[in-house]
Short mmCIF file of all heavy atoms in Angstrom, two decimals:
data_model
loop_
_atom_site.label_atom_id
_atom_site.label_comp_id
_atom_site.label_asym_id
_atom_site.label_seq_id
_atom_site.Cartn_x
_atom_site.Cartn_y
_atom_site.Cartn_z
N ILE A 956 162.62 73.99 -8.68
CA ILE A 956 161.60 74.17 -9.71
C ILE A 956 161.44 75.63 -10.08
O ILE A 956 161.45 76.00 -11.25
CB ILE A 956 160.27 73.56 -9.22
CG1 ILE A 956 160.37 72.04 -9.09
CG2 ILE A 956 159.14 73.92 -10.17
CD1 ILE A 956 159.14 71.39 -8.51
N ASP A 957 161.27 76.47 -9.08
CA ASP A 957 161.05 77.91 -9.30
C ASP A 957 162.34 78.65 -9.01
O ASP A 957 162.46 79.39 -8.04
CB ASP A 957 159.91 78.38 -8.39
CG ASP A 957 159.46 79.79 -8.73
OD1 ASP A 957 159.76 80.26 -9.83
OD2 ASP A 957 158.81 80.42 -7.87
N CYS A 958 163.31 78.47 -9.90
CA CYS A 958 164.62 79.08 -9.68
C CYS A 958 164.64 80.54 -10.05
O CYS A 958 165.56 81.26 -9.64
CB CYS A 958 165.68 78.32 -10.46
SG CYS A 958 165.35 78.22 -12.24
N ASP A 959 163.69 81.03 -10.84
CA ASP A 959 163.69 82.43 -11.26
C ASP A 959 163.15 83.37 -10.19
O ASP A 959 163.46 84.55 -10.20
CB ASP A 959 162.87 82.59 -12.53
CG ASP A 959 163.46 81.82 -13.70
OD1 ASP A 959 164.69 81.60 -13.69
OD2 ASP A 959 162.70 81.41 -14.59
N SER A 960 162.35 82.84 -9.28
CA SER A 960 161.74 83.68 -8.24
C SER A 960 162.64 83.75 -7.02
O SER A 960 163.48 82.86 -6.80
CB SER A 960 160.38 83.11 -7.83
OG SER A 960 159.52 83.02 -8.95
N HIS A 1050 155.39 72.92 -10.05
CA HIS A 1050 155.31 71.67 -10.81
C HIS A 1050 156.54 71.51 -11.69
O HIS A 1050 157.09 72.48 -12.23
CB HIS A 1050 154.04 71.64 -11.66
CG HIS A 1050 153.86 72.86 -12.53
ND1 HIS A 1050 154.47 73.03 -13.74
CD2 HIS A 1050 153.13 73.99 -12.32
CE1 HIS A 1050 154.13 74.19 -14.27
NE2 HIS A 1050 153.32 74.81 -13.42
N ARG A 1099 150.30 83.30 -13.50
CA ARG A 1099 151.66 83.62 -13.06
C ARG A 1099 151.78 83.56 -11.54
O ARG A 1099 152.85 83.20 -11.01
CB ARG A 1099 152.05 85.02 -13.52
CG ARG A 1099 152.22 85.16 -15.02
CD ARG A 1099 152.46 86.59 -15.44
NE ARG A 1099 153.50 87.20 -14.64
CZ ARG A 1099 153.34 88.30 -13.91
NH1 ARG A 1099 152.17 88.91 -13.89
NH2 ARG A 1099 154.35 88.79 -13.21
N PHE A 1102 150.80 79.30 -10.46
CA PHE A 1102 151.49 78.16 -11.06
C PHE A 1102 152.92 78.57 -11.41
O PHE A 1102 153.14 79.60 -12.07
CB PHE A 1102 150.76 77.67 -12.31
CG PHE A 1102 149.37 77.19 -12.04
CD1 PHE A 1102 148.27 78.04 -12.23
CD2 PHE A 1102 149.13 75.91 -11.57
CE1 PHE A 1102 146.99 77.62 -11.98
CE2 PHE A 1102 147.85 75.48 -11.32
CZ PHE A 1102 146.78 76.33 -11.51
N HIS A 1103 153.84 77.73 -10.99
CA HIS A 1103 155.26 77.99 -11.22
C HIS A 1103 155.95 76.67 -11.55
O HIS A 1103 155.62 75.63 -10.97
CB HIS A 1103 155.91 78.62 -9.99
CG HIS A 1103 155.14 79.78 -9.42
ND1 HIS A 1103 155.21 81.05 -9.89
CD2 HIS A 1103 154.21 79.81 -8.41
CE1 HIS A 1103 154.40 81.84 -9.21
NE2 HIS A 1103 153.78 81.11 -8.29
N GLY A 1104 156.89 76.77 -12.46
CA GLY A 1104 157.65 75.57 -12.78
C GLY A 1104 157.65 75.29 -14.27
O GLY A 1104 157.54 76.19 -15.12
N ARG A 1105 157.76 74.03 -14.60
CA ARG A 1105 157.91 73.58 -15.99
C ARG A 1105 156.89 72.50 -16.28
O ARG A 1105 156.61 71.63 -15.46
CB ARG A 1105 159.32 73.02 -16.21
CG ARG A 1105 159.63 72.60 -17.64
CD ARG A 1105 160.99 71.94 -17.74
NE ARG A 1105 161.02 70.70 -16.99
CZ ARG A 1105 160.66 69.52 -17.50
NH1 ARG A 1105 160.26 69.43 -18.75
NH2 ARG A 1105 160.71 68.43 -16.76
N TRP A 1106 156.33 72.61 -17.49
CA TRP A 1106 155.44 71.57 -18.01
C TRP A 1106 155.83 71.32 -19.45
O TRP A 1106 155.74 72.21 -20.30
CB TRP A 1106 153.97 71.99 -17.91
CG TRP A 1106 153.04 70.93 -18.47
CD1 TRP A 1106 153.26 69.60 -18.51
CD2 TRP A 1106 151.75 71.14 -19.05
NE1 TRP A 1106 152.21 68.94 -19.08
CE2 TRP A 1106 151.25 69.86 -19.41
CE3 TRP A 1106 150.96 72.26 -19.29
CZ2 TRP A 1106 150.01 69.70 -20.01
CZ3 TRP A 1106 149.73 72.09 -19.87
CH2 TRP A 1106 149.27 70.83 -20.23
N ASP A 1140 157.49 72.76 -24.36
CA ASP A 1140 158.08 72.98 -23.05
C ASP A 1140 157.68 74.37 -22.58
O ASP A 1140 158.01 75.38 -23.23
CB ASP A 1140 159.61 72.85 -23.12
CG ASP A 1140 160.25 72.97 -21.74
OD1 ASP A 1140 160.01 72.10 -20.89
OD2 ASP A 1140 160.97 73.97 -21.52
N TRP A 1141 156.97 74.39 -21.45
CA TRP A 1141 156.44 75.66 -20.92
C TRP A 1141 157.10 75.92 -19.58
O TRP A 1141 156.94 75.17 -18.61
CB TRP A 1141 154.92 75.56 -20.78
CG TRP A 1141 154.30 76.75 -20.09
CD1 TRP A 1141 154.80 78.01 -20.01
CD2 TRP A 1141 153.05 76.78 -19.38
NE1 TRP A 1141 153.95 78.83 -19.32
CE2 TRP A 1141 152.88 78.10 -18.90
CE3 TRP A 1141 152.08 75.83 -19.11
CZ2 TRP A 1141 151.76 78.47 -18.17
CZ3 TRP A 1141 150.97 76.20 -18.38
CH2 TRP A 1141 150.81 77.51 -17.92
N THR A 1142 157.84 76.98 -19.51
CA THR A 1142 158.43 77.45 -18.26
C THR A 1142 157.90 78.86 -18.00
O THR A 1142 157.01 79.33 -18.70
CB THR A 1142 159.96 77.44 -18.35
OG1 THR A 1142 160.39 78.22 -19.47
CG2 THR A 1142 160.48 76.01 -18.51
N SER A 1143 158.44 79.50 -16.99
CA SER A 1143 157.95 80.82 -16.60
C SER A 1143 158.23 81.81 -17.72
O SER A 1143 159.37 82.23 -17.94
CB SER A 1143 158.62 81.27 -15.31
OG SER A 1143 158.32 80.38 -14.26
N GLY A 1144 157.19 82.20 -18.44
CA GLY A 1144 157.30 83.20 -19.48
C GLY A 1144 157.96 82.71 -20.76
O GLY A 1144 158.30 83.54 -21.61
N LYS A 1145 158.13 81.42 -20.95
CA LYS A 1145 158.79 80.91 -22.15
C LYS A 1145 158.06 79.67 -22.63
O LYS A 1145 157.64 78.83 -21.85
CB LYS A 1145 160.26 80.57 -21.86
CG LYS A 1145 161.11 81.78 -21.49
CD LYS A 1145 162.54 81.37 -21.22
CE LYS A 1145 163.39 82.57 -20.81
NZ LYS A 1145 164.79 82.18 -20.51
N PHE A 1146 157.94 79.60 -23.97
CA PHE A 1146 157.35 78.44 -24.62
C PHE A 1146 158.30 77.97 -25.71
O PHE A 1146 158.79 78.78 -26.51
CB PHE A 1146 155.99 78.79 -25.25
CG PHE A 1146 154.92 79.11 -24.26
CD1 PHE A 1146 154.74 80.41 -23.80
CD2 PHE A 1146 154.08 78.13 -23.77
CE1 PHE A 1146 153.76 80.72 -22.89
CE2 PHE A 1146 153.09 78.43 -22.84
CZ PHE A 1146 152.92 79.72 -22.41
N ILE A 1178 158.75 81.16 -27.99
CA ILE A 1178 157.93 82.30 -27.61
C ILE A 1178 158.35 82.72 -26.20
O ILE A 1178 158.41 81.88 -25.29
CB ILE A 1178 156.43 81.96 -27.64
CG1 ILE A 1178 156.02 81.50 -29.04
CG2 ILE A 1178 155.60 83.16 -27.21
CD1 ILE A 1178 154.59 81.02 -29.12
N SER A 1179 158.65 83.97 -26.05
CA SER A 1179 159.02 84.51 -24.74
C SER A 1179 158.10 85.67 -24.41
O SER A 1179 157.77 86.49 -25.27
CB SER A 1179 160.48 84.96 -24.72
OG SER A 1179 160.69 86.00 -25.65
N LEU A 1180 157.70 85.71 -23.15
CA LEU A 1180 156.80 86.76 -22.65
C LEU A 1180 157.55 87.57 -21.61
O LEU A 1180 158.03 87.03 -20.61
CB LEU A 1180 155.54 86.15 -22.03
CG LEU A 1180 154.69 85.28 -22.96
CD1 LEU A 1180 153.56 84.63 -22.18
CD2 LEU A 1180 154.13 86.09 -24.12
N TRP A 1182 156.92 90.28 -19.02
CA TRP A 1182 155.86 90.98 -18.33
C TRP A 1182 156.41 92.28 -17.74
O TRP A 1182 157.41 92.27 -17.03
CB TRP A 1182 155.29 90.11 -17.21
CG TRP A 1182 154.76 88.80 -17.71
CD1 TRP A 1182 155.40 87.61 -17.69
CD2 TRP A 1182 153.49 88.57 -18.32
NE1 TRP A 1182 154.62 86.63 -18.24
CE2 TRP A 1182 153.42 87.19 -18.63
CE3 TRP A 1182 152.39 89.37 -18.61
CZ2 TRP A 1182 152.32 86.62 -19.24
CZ3 TRP A 1182 151.28 88.79 -19.21
CH2 TRP A 1182 151.25 87.44 -19.52
N ASN A 1189 158.84 88.17 -11.32
CA ASN A 1189 158.93 86.79 -10.81
C ASN A 1189 158.77 86.71 -9.30
O ASN A 1189 158.74 85.61 -8.75
CB ASN A 1189 160.25 86.15 -11.21
CG ASN A 1189 160.37 85.99 -12.71
OD1 ASN A 1189 159.39 85.68 -13.39
ND2 ASN A 1189 161.57 86.22 -13.25
#
Side-chain angles (χ1 to χ4, degrees):
I956 293 176
D957 190 18
C958 57
D959 297 334
S960 302
H1050 51 82
R1099 292 174 49 238
F1102 299 96
H1103 312 277
R1105 183 185 65 87
W1106 179 28
D1140 184 65
W1141 173 25
T1142 56
S1143 298
K1145 296 180 182 179
F1146 293 89
I1178 301 174
S1179 62
L1180 301 174
W1182 302 98
N1189 296 322

